[in-house]
């Protein structure tokens, strides 16, 4: 098979243009006319094409050489070739490019005679970097090094493409490759890189591929089908990783302009790859203007942080944290915003990662702390209210080992109480040197700072962190529950309940809607942060917000008052409510569904309707519930009360939770149930009449069981309640407790009456099996009143079970007592 002349010409043309150096052919005569220059040499001179090159050099070898070197060069060439026709000359000299740049070149030349043309010089050029380019080969993978890749890429891009397909620059980075070397040895790591190079050569045939350094690779290839080839390479490289958590990231830049320098294209592709560094779902990212702008801003903030702090371009914004149970302003989180005079408002996402990468984040964190301490001191000196503020510490801050001392120095400088500063850290802090970090956390807590765990649940080791380290509060981010499905709600419910079980306070951030707020409140999460209540704002805006929304600003006493609520399980299966007594007024802070249902069964349509009745001066129920709460407060324990309500009989149990220091303000946890016995209507009506009369006539009805030596309350509406909140053992002790309610002058009579032998004689003598006497007895109003004490035998119990009742004597009622006394005086006067 013969090759025709046109094919030879094509081969020769591409061979010349593909050489890693300049090729020049010029006539060996006086004019030294240039006949040919390859694309590499044209590019070296900064020219676009042959015509441009001829214009720059004047079409002559003499015009190619620096004017000061022409004479010397020509003498050297003549001297070296004068010895024979097969001798190659070697000379070096300077050239002047199109943009007047001076470069040093090395030249290998040979004189020969071409048919129909005559004598010519055939010359091969190298620039000052060419020798290095020829030898720049990676010893591990056999791929070109970075310098050679960029030179060859520049030559390749300078040659007009034979098709319309565009070139793309790829940049590949294998994240966490250092861990592979640590686990499996550097030799295994080199084998991994060699196999990676083979995969890239297979996936990108006829492409320019380079290993820049370590685990960084660059590829110049055709755009057609590039994504499929990337996917293939990605899968095969990931299959090599064994048990190491490697992440292979590709960045892609489409060469829209072949005149763009390869090194710039590499930088842009690398920028795209870096943009998905922490995105586990993506392995390929094309370069966009948005990514480029972000990368530029990243570089900008690294270089201008100190200026931004000095000139107060970085401002402190505060986002309110609201107590869910009360709606009061509990605290605020300090967040930084960079208001740049050139680039406008920069969010933390624009500068926090960059400052962490450049290890400058500690400067920012301490700057934020100093700003909030300065705000505190200024407001305190002016007599203005202050609230606790939380601020964030980065994981980088803990690597120095002295972050506590640096923070504490600033806080002491502005004389800020430690309980006013809350320190937020994320679980990523614990990735490195957990023992040292634990020591520093304990220093903060021992000094009185609250330590909060931010973004709980967003990482992989949150539970381990809670197990090994001590936190005062966890912040749960609604972002990872953004779908707000039943499953998501169940997760957050379980998280809140778990935190209560181990004594950690809870806060949910990122709450944006009323639905989310009501749900978070209903499950007992203590605090809420998010746009529903307010976005991050300047201090002046927060002050306006407090006034407009009427938020009560919590002080330390109010915080201590509400904190015990954090231990209460709002997800209990029982009916449950939180009741507040505030200077004699009763209100519900919370009532779960079962409690509301119990209220409704007694005729109260809602907690609000119940509040109206409980705060009505004319309500007999209100008087008894008020007395019940007062007794809960006095006893400090759990007690119960039973009362009729709209043909129902309600049982209320409660306990005291907390008291606001120095004020008549108290929190109680209560449980309500409907204990109505289902009977035939007539029996029910009879029971209703009996129990209703009993409730309103009697202060106390207790079942005494001599066989079991126990007492069980049925009705207890007086101070007796504190001695008998529920069934108890030991009647002798009960009698002793009852004696404390009897007026001292009546106490001897009461003891004779309650003597067992005396009661038996009275009971056996009375046809109805009752024994009665009257004593001055302590009432619910704290005063002694004449009361009738009655012991009633329960039939068919063999004198082993009795009812002990106490009710007001008619002598206690002024309207009855005074007429009777007047009648008595009149009768005595007549007798006399």
């Amino acid at each position: 098979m013969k090759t025709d002349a046109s094919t030879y010409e094509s081969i020769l043309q591409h061979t010349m243009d593909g050489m890693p150096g300049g090729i020049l052919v010029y006539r060996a005569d006086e004019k030294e006319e240039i006949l040919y220059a390859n694309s590499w040499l044209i590019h070296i001179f900064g020219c676009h094409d042959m015509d441009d090159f001829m214009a720059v050099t004047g079409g002559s070898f003499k015009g190619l050489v620096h004017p000061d070197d022409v004479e010397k060069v020509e003498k050297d060439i003549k001297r070296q070739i004068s010895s024979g026709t097969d001798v190659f000359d070697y000379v070096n000299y300077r050239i002047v490019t199109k943009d007047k740049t001076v470069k040093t070149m090395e030249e290998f030349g040979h004189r020969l005679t071409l048919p129909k043309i005559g004598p010519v010089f055939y010359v091969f050029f190298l620039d000052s970097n060419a020798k290095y380019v020829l030898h720049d080969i990676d010893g591990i993978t056999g791929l070109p090094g970075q310098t050679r890749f960029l030179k060859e890429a520049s030559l390749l891009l300078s040659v007009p493409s034979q098709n319309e397909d565009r070139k793309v620059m790829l940049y590949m980075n294998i994240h966490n490759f250092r861990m592979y070397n640590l686990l499996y040895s550097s030799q295994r790591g080199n084998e991994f890189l060699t196999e990676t190079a083979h995969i890239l050569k297979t996936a990108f045939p006829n492409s320019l591929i380079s290993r820049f350094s370590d685990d960084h690779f660059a590829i110049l290839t055709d755009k057609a089908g590039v994504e499929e080839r990337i996917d293939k390479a990605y899968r095969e490289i990931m299959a090599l990783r064994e048990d190491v958590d490697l992440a292979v990231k590709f960045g892609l830049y489409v060469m829209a302009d072949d005149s763009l320098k390869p090194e710039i294209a590499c930088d842009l592709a690398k920028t795209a790859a870096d943009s998905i560094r922490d995105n586990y779902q993506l392995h390929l990212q094309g370069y966009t203007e948005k990514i480029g702008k972000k990368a530029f801003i990243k570089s900008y903030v690294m270089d201008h942080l100190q200026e931004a702090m000095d000139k107060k371009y970085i401002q402190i914004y505060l986002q309110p944290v609201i107590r869910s149970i009360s709606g009061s302003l509990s605290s605020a989180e300090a967040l930084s915003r960079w208001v740049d005079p050139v680039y406008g408002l920069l969010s933390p996402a624009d500068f926090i990662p960059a400052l962490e990468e450049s290890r400058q984040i500690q400067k920012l964190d301490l700057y934020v702390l100093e700003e909030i301490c300065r705000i505190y001191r200024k407001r305190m000196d002016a007599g203005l209210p202050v609230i606790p503020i939380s601020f964030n510490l980065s994981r980088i801050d803990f690597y120095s080992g002295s972050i506590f001392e640096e923070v504490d120095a600033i806080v002491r400088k502005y004389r800020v109480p430690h309980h006013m500063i809350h320190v937020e850290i994320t679980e990523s802090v614990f990735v490195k040197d957990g023992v040292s970090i634990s020591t520093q956390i304990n220093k903060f807590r021992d000094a009185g700072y609250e330590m909060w765990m931010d973004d709980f649940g967003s990482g992989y080791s949150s539970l381990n962190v809670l197990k090994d380290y001590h936190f005062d509060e966890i912040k749960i981010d609604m972002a990872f529950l953004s779908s707000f499905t039943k499953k998501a709600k169940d997760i957050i419910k379980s998280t809140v309940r778990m935190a209560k079980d181990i004594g950690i306070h809870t806060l949910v951030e990122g709450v944006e809607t009323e639905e989310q707020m009501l749900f978070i409140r209903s499950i007992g999460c203590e605090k809420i942060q998010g746009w529903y209540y307010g976005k991050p704002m300047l201090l002046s805006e927060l002050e306006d917000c407090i006034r407009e929304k009427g938020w009560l600003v919590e002080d330390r006493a109010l915080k201590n008052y509400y904190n015990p609520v954090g231990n209460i399980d709002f997800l209990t299966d029982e009916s449950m409510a939180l009741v507040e007594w505030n200077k004699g007024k009763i209100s519900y802070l919370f009532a779960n569904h079962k409690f509301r249902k119990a209220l409704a069964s007694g005729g109260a349509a809602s907690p609000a309707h119940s509040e109206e009745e409980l705060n009505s001066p004319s309500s007999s129920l209100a008087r008894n519930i008020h007395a019940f709460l007062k007794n809960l407060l006095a006893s400090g324990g759990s007690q119960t009360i039973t009362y009729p309500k709209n043909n129902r009989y309600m049982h209320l149990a409660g306990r005291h939770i907390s008291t606001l220091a120095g004020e008549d303000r108290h929190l109680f946890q209560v449980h309500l149930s409907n204990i109505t016995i289902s009977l035939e209507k007539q029996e029910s009506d009879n029971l209703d009449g009996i129990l209703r009369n009993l409730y309103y006539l009697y202060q106390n009805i207790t079942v005494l069981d001599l066989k079991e030596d126990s007492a069980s309350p049925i009705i207890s509406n007086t101070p007796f309640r504190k001695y008998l909140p529920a069934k108890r053992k030991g009647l002798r002790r009960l009698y002793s407790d009852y004696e404390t309610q009897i007026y001292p002058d009546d106490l001897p009579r009461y003891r004779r009456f309650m003597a067992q032998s005396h009661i038996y004689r009275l009971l056996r003598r009375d046809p109805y099996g009752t024994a009665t006497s009257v004593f001055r007895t302590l009432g619910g109003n704290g005063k002694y009143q004449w009361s009738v004490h009655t012991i009633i035998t329960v039939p068919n119990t063999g004198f082993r079970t009795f009812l002990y009742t106490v009710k007001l004597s008619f002598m206690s009622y002024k309207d009855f007592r005074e007429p009777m006394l007047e009648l008595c005086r009149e009768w005595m006067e007549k007798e006399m």
Side-chain angles (χ1 to χ4, degrees):
M1 179 179 178
K2 293 184 177 181
T3 303
D4 58 30
S6 62
T7 301
Y8 276 124
E9 184 179 348
S10 176
I11 293 173
L12 181 61
Q13 177 67 35
H14 284 87
T15 299
M16 296 293 191
D17 285 336
M19 291 294 289
I23 296 176
L24 178 72
V25 180
Y26 66 93
R27 293 184 184 276
D29 57 17
E30 186 66 26
K31 293 183 179 180
E32 298 180 331
E33 176 189 1
I34 295 175
L35 302 177
Y36 171 79
N38 72 348
S39 58
W40 197 95
L41 186 60
I42 292 171
H43 174 76
I44 287 294
F45 272 80
C47 299
H48 298 301
D49 51 31
M50 187 64 180
D51 291 339
D52 193 18
F53 177 75
M54 295 293 280
V56 169
T57 60
S60 167
F61 174 73
K62 291 183 176 67
L64 178 147
V65 181
H66 191 286
D68 294 341
D69 296 346
V70 171
E71 184 177 354
K72 175 181 176 299
V73 169
E74 293 198 329
K75 285 181 178 181
D76 284 346
I77 293 174
K78 290 179 179 178
R79 179 177 53 79
Q80 292 182 48
I81 67 172
S82 63
S83 60
T85 57
D86 294 329
V87 175
F88 290 84
D89 67 80
Y90 167 76
V91 291
N92 58 73
Y93 48 84
R94 293 172 295 171
I95 64 169
V96 181
T97 66
K98 182 178 180 179
D99 62 2
K100 307 305 179 183
T101 300
V102 176
K103 292 185 176 183
T104 299
M105 306 290 289
E106 295 182 69
E107 172 214 289
F108 295 88
H110 183 54
R111 179 176 175 172
L112 66 162
T113 300
L114 298 180
K116 299 182 181 179
I117 296 178
V120 297
F121 276 102
Y122 189 93
V123 183
F124 181 71
F125 288 93
L126 295 175
D127 70 5
S128 58
N129 292 321
K131 285 185 178 179
Y132 178 70
V133 169
L134 291 172
H135 296 89
D136 183 19
I137 298 295
D138 177 39
I140 295 174
T141 64
L143 294 175
Q146 181 176 359
T147 301
R148 179 170 179 173
F149 173 84
L150 294 175
K151 292 292 184 181
E152 294 186 10
S154 179
L155 287 173
L156 184 61
L157 293 172
S158 68
V159 178
S161 177
Q162 300 299 308
N163 52 53
E164 296 180 357
D165 189 27
R166 294 157 71 183
K167 298 289 185 183
V168 295
M169 184 69 77
L170 304 178
Y171 194 94
M172 189 190 84
N173 191 0
I174 307 174
H175 293 288
N176 205 31
F177 186 70
R178 184 175 300 176
M179 184 60 66
Y180 189 96
N181 281 327
L182 290 174
L183 289 177
Y184 299 115
S185 80
S186 58
Q187 181 179 348
R188 288 279 298 278
N190 290 343
E191 292 171 359
F192 186 105
L193 295 174
T194 300
E195 185 62 27
T196 297
H198 175 72
I199 290 171
L200 294 177
K201 290 177 183 178
T202 304
F204 302 96
N206 304 317
S207 300
L208 190 56
I209 306 172
S210 170
R211 179 188 174 215
F212 272 20
S213 64
D214 301 325
D215 45 36
H216 298 254
F217 293 80
I219 306 164
L220 181 63
T221 188
D222 294 331
K223 184 175 183 294
V226 70
E227 292 187 9
E228 291 80 2
R229 288 179 281 149
I230 290 172
D231 289 343
K232 178 179 183 297
Y234 169 78
R235 289 191 301 270
E236 294 181 7
I237 295 171
M238 290 294 284
L240 303 175
R241 63 180 179 166
E242 300 185 59
D243 294 328
V244 182
D245 185 24
L246 299 182
V248 178
K249 303 296 182 181
F250 283 88
L252 181 151
Y253 176 76
V254 178
M255 304 290 293
D257 183 358
D258 288 345
S259 65
L260 184 70
K261 292 183 178 180
E263 50 266 43
I264 295 177
C266 279
D267 287 343
L268 298 179
K270 182 179 184 300
T271 297
D274 290 344
S275 71
I276 56 171
R277 180 187 183 94
D278 299 318
N279 190 327
Y280 292 94
Q281 297 178 337
L282 294 178
H283 65 270
L284 169 62
Q285 176 64 56
Y287 177 84
T288 63
E289 288 187 7
K290 182 178 180 180
I291 291 174
K293 181 180 178 181
K294 187 174 182 180
F296 175 80
I297 292 295
K298 175 181 176 181
S299 176
Y300 177 82
V301 300
M302 287 179 178
D303 296 336
H304 293 80
L305 173 64
Q306 192 60 52
E307 178 188 7
M309 294 190 299
D310 293 342
K311 296 182 179 179
K312 303 299 181 185
Y313 295 157
I314 298 179
Q315 300 180 5
I316 304 305
Y317 279 53
L318 301 172
Q319 186 169 32
V321 174
I322 302 299
R323 178 83 60 177
S324 64
I325 202 67
S326 63
S328 53
L329 179 63
S330 173
S331 64
E333 180 181 5
L335 300 166
S336 53
R337 297 292 185 268
W338 188 324
V339 185
D340 194 83
V342 178
Y343 299 102
L345 179 63
L346 304 179
S347 72
D350 292 324
F351 57 86
I352 296 295
L355 297 179
E356 285 189 332
E357 183 178 326
S358 61
R359 295 296 193 267
Q360 297 186 78
I361 190 65
Q362 186 168 321
K363 291 182 182 178
L364 175 65
D365 291 341
L366 295 180
Y367 169 84
V368 171
L369 173 63
E370 184 144 13
E371 288 298 296
I372 61 180
C373 288
R374 185 179 287 112
I375 290 171
Y376 172 89
R377 177 45 49 202
K378 183 177 180 180
R379 293 182 68 82
M380 281 295 292
D381 292 346
L384 299 173
V386 292
I387 58 172
I389 296 181
S390 64
F391 79 108
N392 293 271
L393 286 181
S394 165
R395 67 184 187 278
I396 308 299
D397 296 332
F398 284 85
Y399 294 168
S400 68
S402 61
I403 188 61
F404 167 76
E405 288 76 13
E406 295 181 75
V407 167
D408 201 50
I410 294 173
V411 173
R412 285 187 284 106
K413 173 183 175 182
Y414 292 94
R415 306 189 310 281
V416 180
H418 290 183
H419 69 269
M420 298 297 291
I421 301 295
H422 304 157
V423 181
E424 295 189 27
I425 57 177
T426 63
E427 69 177 66
S428 62
V429 167
F430 303 92
V431 172
K432 178 179 178 181
D433 195 7
V435 174
S436 172
I437 292 169
S438 177
T439 300
Q440 294 180 72
I441 289 176
N442 290 336
K443 284 183 180 180
F444 277 107
R445 297 189 78 249
D446 292 344
Y449 298 96
E450 285 195 12
M451 297 299 293
W452 293 6
M453 182 176 177
D454 195 13
D455 292 336
F456 178 84
S458 60
Y460 295 102
S461 58
S462 298
L463 293 179
N464 278 331
V465 171
L466 285 188
K467 174 177 67 71
D468 297 332
Y469 305 94
H470 298 291
F471 289 92
D472 299 286
E473 187 157 308
I474 58 174
K475 296 184 70 174
I476 306 163
D477 193 345
M478 280 293 291
F480 85 104
L481 296 175
S482 56
S483 59
F484 211 52
T485 60
K486 181 181 182 303
K487 187 174 182 180
K489 292 179 180 180
D490 289 343
I491 292 173
I492 199 169
K493 282 181 183 179
S494 300
T495 301
V496 170
R497 174 172 270 176
M498 173 207 65
K500 291 177 182 290
D501 289 342
I502 60 178
I504 296 179
H505 297 289
T506 54
L507 182 158
V508 171
E509 58 182 338
V511 175
E512 297 181 353
T513 67
E514 183 178 19
E515 178 190 12
Q516 291 174 342
M517 181 276 293
L518 292 174
F519 167 72
I520 297 304
R521 188 176 186 273
S522 72
I523 64 175
C525 182
E526 297 168 71
K527 301 173 187 175
I528 299 175
Q529 179 181 350
W531 279 46
Y532 177 77
Y533 286 110
K535 63 181 181 179
M537 59 191 84
L538 294 170
L539 176 61
S540 59
E541 295 173 319
L542 179 60
E543 291 175 323
D544 293 340
C545 197
I546 291 172
R547 286 192 295 269
E548 292 169 5
K549 298 187 178 183
W551 285 335
L552 176 66
V553 178
E554 285 187 10
D555 56 15
R556 195 175 189 185
L558 203 55
K559 175 183 178 179
N560 293 337
Y561 175 63
Y562 286 124
N563 266 354
V565 175
N567 299 320
I568 296 175
D569 182 9
F570 280 46
L571 299 173
T572 176
D573 292 333
E574 300 180 75
S575 78
M576 192 275 288
L578 292 177
V579 173
E580 184 173 48
W581 169 288
N582 191 352
K583 299 177 182 177
K585 183 178 180 181
I586 293 174
S587 59
Y588 290 97
L589 297 186
F590 172 79
N592 68 7
H593 175 72
K594 284 193 175 181
F595 193 94
R596 292 168 181 266
K597 189 174 180 181
L599 280 179
S601 72
S606 67
H609 287 93
S610 177
E611 285 179 7
E612 289 181 12
E613 183 174 10
L614 294 180
N615 292 308
S616 172
S618 62
S619 169
S620 58
L621 174 62
R623 290 193 294 272
N624 282 284
I625 297 300
H626 280 232
F628 173 68
L629 295 180
K630 285 183 178 179
N631 199 54
L632 277 179
L633 186 61
S635 68
S638 299
Q639 296 197 28
T640 63
I641 184 175
T642 304
Y643 61 90
K645 187 75 169 61
N646 288 357
N647 301 320
R648 298 289 186 271
Y649 299 94
M650 314 302 292
H651 184 76
L652 184 68
R655 70 184 182 95
H656 172 242
I657 300 299
S658 64
T659 293
L660 182 59
E663 295 193 28
D664 183 20
R665 187 172 176 182
H666 318 278
L667 284 177
F668 303 90
Q669 181 184 14
V670 294
H671 305 277
L672 181 67
S673 57
N674 186 329
I675 59 170
T676 304
I677 303 173
S678 179
L679 299 171
E680 295 293 334
K681 185 176 187 307
Q682 184 176 356
E683 293 178 344
S684 178
D685 290 344
N686 292 337
L687 178 65
D688 178 77
I690 293 169
L691 290 180
R692 188 173 297 277
N693 288 330
L694 287 176
Y695 179 79
Y696 289 112
L697 290 176
Y698 286 88
Q699 297 168 275
N700 180 61
I701 300 179
T702 303
V703 178
L704 305 178
D705 190 327
L706 301 186
K707 183 178 180 180
E708 294 187 0
D709 190 28
S710 66
S712 302
I714 294 178
I715 294 173
S716 184
N717 297 325
T718 70
F720 282 120
R721 184 185 304 113
K722 72 179 181 179
Y723 299 110
L724 197 64
K727 183 176 180 179
R728 62 176 288 177
K729 287 280 189 179
L731 293 177
R732 186 172 300 278
R733 174 63 183 277
L734 176 69
Y735 299 155
S736 176
D737 291 338
Y738 276 8
E739 288 180 1
T740 64
Q741 309 298 304
I742 305 300
Y743 190 70
D745 291 349
D746 294 347
L747 192 55
R749 283 194 308 111
Y750 180 77
R751 287 172 177 165
R752 287 196 298 273
F753 173 73
M754 291 297 293
Q756 189 169 327
S757 58
H758 181 251
I759 289 178
Y760 276 153
R761 284 197 301 274
L762 294 176
L763 293 177
R764 292 180 186 280
R765 187 186 307 164
D766 186 84
Y768 298 104
T770 63
T772 302
S773 189
V774 179
F775 308 98
R776 284 168 286 185
T777 308
L778 197 63
N781 58 3
K783 298 179 179 180
Y784 289 101
Q785 299 171 307
W786 287 101
S787 299
V788 179
H789 291 241
T790 302
I791 306 292
I792 305 173
T793 305
V794 176
N796 303 318
T797 64
F799 280 90
R800 306 297 293 174
T801 307
F802 307 92
L803 288 180
Y804 179 19
T805 70
V806 180
K807 68 175 181 179
L808 287 178
S809 166
F810 285 113
M811 292 300 291
S812 295
Y813 294 99
K814 183 178 180 181
D815 292 343
F816 175 81
R817 182 175 63 251
E818 291 184 355
M820 287 297 292
L821 290 174
E822 180 63 29
L823 181 63
C824 182
R825 281 193 296 271
E826 291 177 0
W827 179 80
M828 291 179 66
E829 289 175 357
K830 288 180 182 180
E831 290 294 317
M832 295 176 65

